[in-house]
Amino acid sequence: QRKHGDGMALKEERERRDGRANFNLRTGGREPATMTTTMRREGSAKSSTSPGSLETQAVEAEKKGEVDARSDATRNDTLSGGTSQAKLKRVMSIKDRHVKWEKAGSLAKQLIVERRVRRNRIIAFLMLMILPISLGLLANHYKHVLPLDFLFGQRDHNHNSYYGQAMDYINSKIVINGPRADHNVKKKHEGKVGLMAEESSKKSDVINVLLPEFLAPAFKKVYDEKLSANLEDMYNKTVHFDTVSMSEWQSTIQQDAKKRSMSRYDVYVLLSTWIPTFAEQACIADMTSYLKDLDSSYWEDVLPQIRENVASYNNKIYALPTDGDVILMMYNRRILNKYGLDPPETWQEWIEISKKLHGKDLDGDGNPDAGACVVTEPNGFWASLFFAFASPFLQTYGSDEGIFFDTNTMKPVFSHPKFSYILDLYKEMIDHSIHNLIGMTSWQQANQLFLEEKCALLYNFHGSLKIILTQMESGEAAENFRMKMIPGSKYVLSADGKEVEVCDELRCPYADKNHINHAPFYGEGGIGIALNFHASPDILEAATSFAVTLTGPEHSLPLVTSVGSLLDPYRYSHFSNIKDPTSAESKVYINDGWNHRSILQWQNSTVTAFEHSNGVKDLAIYGKALYTGEYGFESMLSDFVKGKVDSSETRMKLEKAWTTLTGRYGLEMQQKLYRRSLGLPTTALEVPIVIICLIMISILSLVFLSMKNGQLRKRLEKEKRESASLKQISKWSTLISNNPASRLVKVLQDVQSGKQVDAEVVGGLLKHLKSRRGSDFWMPDLNNNEFAKVSEENKA
């Protein structure tokens, strides 16, 4: 600042000298026109005007000064390229702004800094509010994988609540068909209802369950015989079963769930492929927190792929499994041995066996029979049987690869040029099946013809094959009708779908020792029990206990052995002790019409399929029925099987149809559901990426604002110290600049700018100049009292 002040002082001195020179040039050493005019006005009353008087000379000097001033202004405008007065003011204002901080007083500087500090504190306060909210959202997203239940009001399931008692009741294996619960327990909790042990304003004595007709007899039998009495004792609740036809099953659940809190049903029995849709629409409850105290043995007993396909979606539990669906094959051992054939291990071998047997009389009735019995009737499940055939050609890297879409682009699998190879191979299989003899074949026809030995090979859903196994009246018959996992393939499509490749260790890591890639297809996934999202707390509590007990190891075996239920084993315990035909578990099977040898076949095939690491999950996205149903995929496949279109045209039609459907529902939404159903993240960091960004921005902002406030405080302290030291210098500068010449230059500047000048000030200045005639006009007045005062202060 001192350096800047010295420069400004030199500049002002040059301007004063230039002003003094211009003054002499313009007036010839005479006084300015304004001062002369003032003197003339003051003396006009004392003397008259004459040509030789001083007033006349002053008037002439005034006119000459005005002319010179105008000519100088014109000359200056010309030399400066027509610079206007406005431009000069703009330049001056820019200079003023440039030195605004330097010229500001200490008070102004303090106010500016304090205002900035206050602003930064407000922003920091907002960041401090955003930070805990963001952390809470992040914790909420991962609450099921982190020990953060206390943050979300998760109740500690102690022994003093209904739910805690239910879990203890189950975990200690005091089954519901055992001794009645202690009535004192009921009285102890009388008036407390719900999972949180709170009073409920809406109480209901009935749990309404919606399920399809074919499941009702088995469910009702187990409930009536083993569950009803103690459920009423513990919860004062009964269960009412409402049935619906297979064709109206899904639509009835959808319509009821749309009613939200006004819905009729508390429990839905549904297919696992519907779970993603209902979960995303908040129709079924996330049961993860309800089951946190459930003994681990409940889940460890469930077969691995059923835990993934039926119970879980997006790393949360939405249903308790009561069935597991997989597509298996059966073969007639007598017929294959007669013609010297082995059971097929690949689909190519299946086709070769069908060709050899097709048209031969297999049952001895004199009529030609088929090599295989294959379902070809459009019924909503034919698509599952086709994809069971296609799976080993498409999936090689495990269950999270998927076979229906590219997980990154959502292009349908039909976009692969070599998918035509799979279609052609499938048609070759159909041409040597029972379809070639009787036309469209239902699953019931296929089962019956296989039992009648009209064909040697069959593949179908697990549950429908159970009907065949339970009709084996003798051990010899059971030995003839064998069950095994469906065939695989030694050839698979390349990653880009443009070539057919041979399986090796890299391309087919899950292939067997013969390099055959097996991929069991879990058609429809299975059946589970889900809870209505809008059910009242007391109903949720009782329904959870009912569902856990019904699907647990103690009471679920009769559900899966019953032929009419079409439910399949889903627990390891369903096959415990079955090697002993006299065991309690074996007797449950035998009482339902099973042959002991059939039970052993059932066990081997089921466990092998549901433990396979390359098992294929069925499609589970919005509008699944439109993608694979009777009026979509199946109708196009039917035209292809009938020979109306070739494989290339069918492939392109399917690609267009699926792409259109995906666009209709929204590519991003369908991709999210598809990836989640496979257990893949929807993005690299999924939803928390936004939350993490907010947290990082908040932390960085707080650090930056803290540093900025510190800098502002240091700057203010520095300014205060410098202002104290420069205070005396400022006084000296003011006194030194207060000299006659400087005051005269200021007056002249005011005149030049057109300001009105006080005559008394001018008169006093002239008298002062006359009194100092012969001395330096630029010297300050050393006799000034202020000057003496400052000198004394400086000495002190």
Side-chain angles (χ1 to χ4, degrees):
Q1 286 185 349
R2 292 191 186 94
K3 184 177 180 180
H4 180 71
D6 293 342
M8 293 296 293
L10 291 173
K11 184 177 179 182
E12 290 175 358
E13 183 178 355
R14 285 197 299 270
E15 290 176 352
R16 284 196 295 270
R17 290 175 181 173
D18 293 343
R20 190 163 52 196
N22 290 336
F23 173 76
N24 291 332
L25 287 172
R26 290 181 183 182
T27 64
R30 294 189 299 271
E31 295 174 345
T34 306
M35 289 191 286
T36 305
T37 303
T38 305
M39 294 171 63
R40 177 170 55 80
R41 288 174 181 172
E42 290 178 350
S44 61
K46 299 179 180 179
S47 60
S48 59
T49 303
S50 64
S53 65
L54 291 174
E55 286 98 342
T56 304
Q57 295 177 6
V59 171
E60 292 177 356
E62 179 182 3
K63 292 180 180 178
K64 182 175 177 59
E66 291 175 355
V67 172
D68 291 341
R70 285 195 299 270
S71 63
D72 287 344
T74 304
R75 181 170 60 255
N76 290 336
D77 287 346
T78 304
L79 292 174
S80 63
T83 303
S84 63
Q85 192 72 14
K87 184 175 181 181
L88 181 61
K89 290 182 179 179
R90 286 199 302 272
V91 173
M92 293 300 292
S93 65
I94 292 172
K95 291 181 178 179
D96 290 342
R97 287 199 300 271
H98 180 68
V99 296
K100 183 176 182 180
W101 177 265
E102 288 75 7
K103 288 185 178 181
S106 60
L107 180 61
K109 294 176 184 178
Q110 183 177 355
L111 291 174
I112 292 172
V113 173
E114 289 178 350
R115 184 167 62 249
R116 291 179 181 175
V117 171
R118 283 196 301 271
R119 180 194 63 191
N120 291 345
R121 285 176 178 171
I122 293 172
I123 297 175
F125 177 73
L126 294 176
M127 292 297 103
L128 284 173
M129 291 183 65
I130 293 173
L131 184 59
I133 294 173
S134 302
L135 290 172
L137 291 173
L138 185 65
N140 181 63
H141 185 80
Y142 289 112
K143 67 181 179 181
H144 299 301
V145 294
L146 297 175
L148 299 172
D149 289 336
F150 65 92
L151 292 176
F152 306 97
Q154 181 61 43
R155 183 182 59 83
D156 182 17
H157 299 302
N158 53 44
H159 299 281
N160 296 325
S161 68
Y162 273 132
Y163 189 70
Q165 276 206 345
M167 291 301 101
D168 290 342
Y169 194 75
I170 296 165
N171 295 336
S172 62
K173 297 184 179 180
I174 303 175
V175 296
I176 288 186
N177 65 332
R180 291 290 184 99
D182 189 356
H183 291 281
N184 293 329
V185 174
K186 183 179 175 181
K187 292 179 181 179
K188 182 178 179 180
H189 301 283
E190 201 163 299
K192 291 186 177 181
V193 180
L195 292 172
M196 304 301 177
E198 299 175 0
E199 294 286 348
S200 176
S201 59
K202 179 182 178 181
K203 297 181 180 180
S204 175
D205 295 334
V206 178
I207 301 173
N208 291 301
V209 179
L210 179 67
L211 73 169
E213 293 172 341
F214 68 90
L215 293 179
F219 273 59
K220 193 168 184 349
K221 179 181 178 182
V222 174
Y223 169 72
D224 289 340
E225 293 179 358
K226 301 181 178 182
L227 306 181
S228 61
N230 279 272
L231 184 66
E232 188 172 358
D233 280 344
M234 289 187 66
Y235 298 99
N236 194 27
K237 298 287 188 294
T238 58
V239 176
H240 175 73
F241 296 99
D242 272 359
T243 61
V244 65
S245 65
M246 192 83 168
S247 59
E248 298 176 350
W249 187 8
Q250 184 178 10
S251 61
T252 304
I253 296 177
Q254 287 175 330
Q255 292 170 8
D256 185 71
K258 287 179 181 179
K259 299 175 183 177
R260 304 296 179 180
S261 59
M262 302 299 292
S263 56
R264 170 179 173 80
Y265 299 105
D266 308 304
V267 177
Y268 301 123
V269 179
L270 42 67
L271 288 174
S272 65
T273 52
W274 304 343
I275 288 177
T277 298
F278 290 137
E280 294 291 338
Q281 294 175 345
C283 296
I284 56 178
D286 174 8
M287 303 174 69
T288 310
S289 59
Y290 301 158
L291 303 172
K292 64 168 294 186
D293 286 342
L294 192 61
D295 192 274
S296 60
S297 62
Y298 178 92
W299 292 112
E300 291 170 357
D301 187 42
V302 178
L303 295 167
Q305 289 288 1
I306 295 177
R307 284 201 303 266
E308 293 295 320
N309 294 333
V310 181
S312 302
Y313 168 69
N314 195 27
N315 297 319
K316 300 174 185 177
I317 300 173
Y318 283 98
L320 295 177
T322 187
D323 168 60
D325 281 331
V326 65
I327 293 175
L328 300 176
M329 69 163 285
M330 293 190 73
Y331 62 93
N332 189 306
R333 183 169 173 266
R334 182 191 66 79
I335 295 175
L336 294 185
N337 287 343
K338 179 180 178 180
Y339 291 94
L341 301 172
D342 294 324
E345 293 294 330
T346 67
W347 286 113
Q348 291 86 350
E349 292 178 2
W350 173 295
I351 293 172
E352 290 302 318
I353 292 173
S354 295
K355 288 180 178 180
K356 290 179 180 179
L357 298 179
H358 193 70
K360 290 184 169 56
D361 181 11
L362 302 179
D363 61 349
D365 64 354
N367 297 318
D369 296 314
C373 290
V374 180
V375 177
T376 57
E377 180 185 57
N379 58 1
F381 297 100
W382 185 19
S384 294
L385 296 172
F386 170 82
F387 284 113
F389 173 87
S391 291
F393 299 95
L394 299 172
Q395 179 174 294
T396 62
Y397 293 119
S399 297
D400 59 356
E401 182 180 4
I403 66 169
F404 298 100
F405 293 93
D406 184 310
T407 56
N408 296 317
T409 64
M410 283 302 284
K411 287 186 177 180
V413 66
F414 313 118
S415 63
H416 295 333
K418 281 298 181 178
F419 193 84
S420 299
Y421 166 78
I422 300 175
L423 287 170
D424 289 333
L425 204 62
Y426 181 75
K427 188 171 190 307
E428 189 175 4
M429 180 187 69
I430 297 299
D431 289 343
H432 297 88
S433 71
I434 198 69
H435 174 84
N436 183 262
L437 301 178
I438 67 171
M440 290 295 177
T441 308
S442 67
W443 71 269
Q444 294 93 338
Q445 286 176 308
N447 278 11
Q448 186 61 35
L449 292 171
F450 180 75
L451 271 172
E452 295 173 358
E453 297 188 316
K454 299 287 186 182
C455 56
L457 303 174
L458 169 71
Y459 79 102
N460 207 334
F461 278 90
H462 201 197
S464 64
L465 296 181
K466 180 170 66 172
I467 299 174
I468 296 175
L469 290 178
T470 54
Q471 295 187 38
M472 303 294 106
E473 297 180 357
S474 64
E476 182 182 355
E479 284 294 322
N480 284 335
F481 294 94
R482 296 290 189 91
M483 175 183 284
K484 69 188 299 287
M485 193 159 63
I486 60 173
S489 176
K490 290 185 177 181
Y491 302 94
V492 297
L493 266 60
S494 60
D496 58 6
K498 296 180 179 180
E499 302 292 337
V500 177
E501 300 175 339
V502 178
C503 267
D504 56 25
E505 291 81 359
L506 295 177
R507 186 66 184 91
C508 305
Y510 295 104
D512 62 17
K513 61 182 180 180
N514 297 320
H515 301 294
I516 299 174
N517 181 56
H518 287 279
F521 184 74
Y522 309 122
E524 300 298 339
I527 297 174
I529 298 177
L531 305 181
N532 189 333
F533 183 84
H534 301 280
S536 60
D538 62 316
I539 290 293
L540 282 174
E541 179 184 354
T544 301
S545 181
F546 163 72
V548 168
T549 309
L550 178 68
T551 60
E554 325 298 337
H555 306 93
S556 56
L557 183 58
L559 295 177
V560 301
T561 59
S562 173
V563 178
S565 69
L566 297 181
L567 297 178
D568 308 315
Y570 56 91
R571 291 185 173 276
Y572 288 106
S573 59
H574 291 161
F575 299 111
S576 62
N577 300 323
I578 63 169
K579 290 184 179 180
D580 179 8
T582 62
S583 66
E585 289 80 5
S586 295
K587 288 181 178 179
V588 175
Y589 280 94
I590 293 171
N591 290 338
D592 279 328
W594 289 75
N595 181 278
H596 186 252
R597 292 186 183 180
S598 298
I599 302 172
L600 297 178
Q601 288 190 55
W602 186 249
Q603 175 193 21
N604 294 334
S605 303
T606 301
V607 174
T608 301
F610 284 118
E611 286 184 340
H612 205 286
S613 299
N614 197 38
V616 180
K617 298 179 180 180
D618 201 353
L619 186 63
I621 59 176
Y622 286 134
K624 192 246 183 188
L626 295 178
Y627 282 94
T628 63
E630 183 177 349
Y631 302 104
F633 176 87
E634 291 185 357
S635 64
M636 298 180 193
L637 188 63
S638 177
D639 290 342
F640 170 66
V641 168
K642 292 176 181 176
K644 295 181 179 180
V645 291
D646 61 13
S647 59
S648 296
E649 188 177 353
T650 301
R651 181 185 68 80
M652 289 187 289
K653 277 186 171 183
L654 289 169
E655 179 185 3
K656 181 179 179 180
W658 279 33
T659 302
T660 302
L661 279 173
T662 303
R664 170 186 169 187
Y665 286 103
L667 187 145
E668 292 183 2
M669 177 61 69
Q670 295 292 64
Q671 185 180 31
K672 182 179 75 172
L673 262 69
Y674 185 58
R675 290 180 66 90
R676 284 182 174 178
S677 67
L678 295 175
L680 299 173
T682 54
T683 61
L685 292 177
E686 252 195 26
V687 178
I689 190 170
V690 178
I691 304 174
I692 291 172
C693 288
L694 284 175
I695 294 173
M696 294 301 297
I697 291 172
S698 301
I699 294 174
L700 293 175
S701 299
L702 289 172
V703 173
F704 172 77
L705 291 172
S706 299
M707 295 174 62
K708 190 67 176 176
N709 282 353
Q711 292 176 356
L712 289 172
R713 291 191 188 94
K714 290 180 181 179
R715 185 173 182 179
L716 182 59
E717 293 297 328
K718 181 179 178 182
E719 291 294 340
K720 287 180 179 179
R721 290 194 300 269
E722 290 182 354
S723 64
S725 63
L726 293 175
K727 188 174 183 181
Q728 296 293 346
I729 298 175
S730 177
K731 289 183 177 180
W732 280 104
S733 301
T734 303
L735 291 171
I736 291 172
S737 63
N738 188 18
N739 56 71
S742 297
R743 292 198 297 273
L744 178 60
V745 170
K746 185 177 184 308
V747 170
L748 293 176
Q749 289 175 347
D750 290 343
V751 172
Q752 184 179 12
S753 62
K755 294 182 180 179
Q756 184 68 32
V757 180
D758 190 356
E760 293 181 0
V761 174
V762 175
L765 179 59
L766 289 175
K767 289 178 182 180
H768 190 71
L769 291 172
K770 288 179 183 180
S771 67
R772 301 188 61 172
R773 187 172 298 171
S775 62
D776 188 0
F777 288 169
W778 296 99
M779 183 175 292
D781 186 4
L782 299 178
N783 296 324
N784 189 293
N785 292 332
E786 288 294 327
F787 193 91
K789 184 178 179 182
V790 172
S791 299
E792 290 297 329
E793 291 177 356
N794 191 42
K795 289 178 182 179

